[in-house]
Amino acid sequence: MKRGLLIVLSGPSGVGKGTVCRSLQARMPGLRLSVSATTRQPRPGEIDGRDYYFISDAQFQRLLAEGAFLEWARVHGCHYGTLKDKVAEVLASGSDLLLEIDIQGAEQVRRLMPEAVTIFMAPPSMAALEQRIIGRGTEDAQKIRQRLETARQEMKAYRSYEYLVVNDEVEATAALLASIIQSEKCRVSRGARPPLQEVNEV
Ligand code: ADP
Ligand code: 5GP
């Protein structure tokens, strides 16, 4: 069984990662989105086990001590982490898996799994990013300021990624991500082979 492709997507909070990923999954139903554990409070409409595993600080520290995380980071005052076993299980089953994680987590994954495809999503402008965070209506003024300040720092990290996509319009961005993933899966260096036994036996 061919292992699935691991895709890392980062970008500032509010740039539209979650929105674009929902559209991407509609285009690529086989693509799995990793569910992270976090100590952040759920936003209205977020569901435990679908959007995140919402856990306490003590639970997070226990998982960390057990070595359960492939990567983890403290972002905007809360802890976030990707569960190692889930990643291994999905990739071994042959499914492609997208991790939507911050730049510190991406750095850790790049080191541990250099075969991962890394994509950075940027907003068309800082003003557009601010409007999106305000429009989402899930953060108070102080948290919005904190996220914008972090965003300015995070934007500088785009050079460490293989791909940069600017999220101008949701459907166009989802189409772009789908084409990046499809292209990566056609790479011979990633194990793409023609469906001819005679060729593959050589
Ligand atoms: P993230 O997951 O990166 O934190 P979200 O997906 O929650 O961001 O999007 C933040 C807000 O921006 C949401 O209200 C969403 O509807 C809006 N949004 C996302 N993408 C776009 C876009 N291309 N143009 C305008 N608004 C967008
Ligand atoms: P939010 O609170 O807006 O859902 O996410 C805040 C930030 O945490 C985003 O940059 C998001 O990509 C990041 N994030 C979400 N899950 C993880 C994770 O498992 N690991 C890391 N390192 N970052 C994460």
Side-chain angles (χ1 to χ4, degrees), residues 3-15:
R3 271 170 72 78
L5 182 69
L6 183 65
I7 303 126
V8 172
L9 176 67
S10 303
S13 176
V15 70

Side-chain angles (χ1 to χ4, degrees), residues 171-188:
E171 291 308 320
T173 309
L176 200 52
L177 289 188
S179 59
I180 291 170
I181 295 169
Q182 278 153 357
S183 305
E184 287 290 339
K185 288 172 70 68
C186 292
R187 276 187 194 268
V188 173

Side-chain angles (χ1 to χ4, degrees), residues 11-20 22 43 100 132-133 135-136 167-170 173:
S13 176
V15 70
K17 300 179 297 298
T19 308
V20 169
R22 281 191 288 279
R43 295 181 183 133
E100 195 240 280
R132 287 180 195 177
I133 302 180
R136 187 168 63 188
N167 180 23
D168 248 317
E169 196 275 319
V170 174
T173 309

Side-chain angles (χ1 to χ4, degrees), residues 74-200:
R74 190 173 165 84
V75 191
H76 312 129
C78 297
H79 285 103
Y80 296 81
T82 303
L83 294 161
K84 203 188 275 180
D85 288 355
K86 302 260 177 196
V87 172
E89 188 184 301
V90 173
L91 295 179
S93 77
S95 292
D96 302 326
L97 178 67
L98 188 145
L99 308 184
E100 195 240 280
I101 58 176
D102 90 313
I103 60 171
Q104 306 165 72
E107 185 60 44
Q108 296 166 50
V109 174
R110 212 178 271 121
R111 230 176 310 125
L112 292 167
M113 303 175 86
E115 70 280 13
V117 180
T118 59
I119 309 172
F120 190 89
M121 188 185 289
S125 65
M126 287 308 284
L129 180 66
E130 184 169 4
Q131 280 316 306
R132 287 180 195 177
I133 302 180
I134 293 170
R136 187 168 63 188
T138 51
E139 270 81 27
D140 60 29
Q142 194 244 325
K143 285 221 169 74
I144 292 173
R145 266 199 308 278
Q146 186 188 23
R147 278 166 195 255
L148 286 172
E149 190 40 51
T150 307
R152 273 183 251 283
Q153 297 305 318
E154 286 172 331
M155 290 296 296
K156 295 178 189 158
Y158 83 88
R159 285 190 183 82
S160 309
Y161 289 73
E162 291 166 287
Y163 292 95
L164 170 69
V165 295
V166 177
N167 180 23
D168 248 317
E169 196 275 319
V170 174
E171 291 308 320
T173 309
L176 200 52
L177 289 188
S179 59
I180 291 170
I181 295 169
Q182 278 153 357
S183 305
E184 287 290 339
K185 288 172 70 68
C186 292
R187 276 187 194 268
V188 173
S189 59
R190 284 195 187 278
R193 298 285 179 268
L196 297 171
Q197 220 175 2
E198 304 88 300
V199 175
N200 288 321

